[in-house]
Amino acid sequence: MPPLPLASPADAARLGYSLPAGREMEFLARASARLRREAGRPISSTVSTVRRRVDGGAVLLPGGPITAVATVARLAEDGGATLTGWRWDGMEHIHCIPLASGDVNVTYTHGLTVIPDELLDLVCSVASRLSATDEAAGMEAGIRSESIDDYQVTYAAEAVETASGLLPGECSSLAGFLGSAPGAYVVRPR
């Protein structure tokens, strides 16, 4: 089941966006999917298990904000035992892991529990742009040149890319809000 859209039709209306009646959720879901793909990590609160390298008895967790750390465990090939004695700093580091080096699996909760208005506005803005692009027959908004005799049309590469992705300004806004993409892979999402 795909994740729920980051914004609701009520959010769009409250923020002044008008989406096609009856298709609001479709465009909000499409916009949310694009933003999640660009973010490279979950935006909404989720539980993940990641494999991380222990360096000097500590690990750095990706995908903040981090709201809880449940377990730190050895890898299956190292016995899979749950480790004790570690301390989470309340941000992105776990300290005092009783291993000098090696990898561990960390299960933790991260992402936003409440989506702030700044991000809701970005979701609704992208949804509104997608709905306007969807209404354009062909890609008239992206035509760079057009001829009449022996009909010919040239589409701007940026418009073709934009139809399936985010505009550079939208990517910058998202990166400014969330920070850079994480440097870990989810081993087992829940």
Side-chain angles (χ1 to χ4, degrees), residues 24-185:
E24 298 95 339
M25 289 301 286
E26 172 192 346
F27 287 111
L28 290 168
R30 288 172 57 192
S32 297
R34 283 163 176 77
L35 289 167
R36 284 183 172 112
R37 183 175 56 237
E38 179 64 27
R41 63 178 156 203
I43 295 173
S44 304
S45 184
T46 189
V47 176
S48 299
T49 299
V50 295
R51 179 178 177 161
R52 299 301 289 169
R53 165 82 45 201
V54 176
D55 185 17
V59 297
L60 174 66
L61 297 174
I66 297 162
T67 55
V69 177
T71 61
V72 178
R74 294 181 185 270
L75 301 180
E77 57 266 23
D78 296 331
T82 299
L83 301 174
T84 60
W86 52 267
R87 183 177 63 16
W88 173 47
D89 69 0
M91 297 183 68
E92 58 192 14
H93 288 92
I94 300 174
H95 300 279
C96 303
I97 297 175
L99 296 174
S101 64
D103 290 354
V104 293
N105 285 330
V106 179
T107 301
Y108 65 112
T109 304
H110 58 109
L112 301 170
T113 54
V114 175
I115 306 297
D117 277 352
E118 179 183 356
L119 188 53
L120 290 174
D121 188 61
L122 181 59
V123 173
C124 295
S125 173
V126 172
S128 179
R129 179 180 57 80
L130 291 173
S131 72
T133 303
D134 195 54
E135 299 298 320
M139 283 267 297
E140 283 75 10
I143 292 176
R144 180 167 285 176
S145 67
E146 187 172 11
S147 299
I148 299 297
D149 200 11
D150 290 340
Y151 184 76
Q152 176 182 354
V153 65
T154 303
Y155 294 104
E158 306 84 40
V160 173
E161 182 179 313
T162 298
S164 64
L166 297 177
L167 296 171
E170 294 164 344
C171 292
S172 295
S173 293
L174 183 64
F177 184 77
L178 293 177
S180 60
Y185 299 96

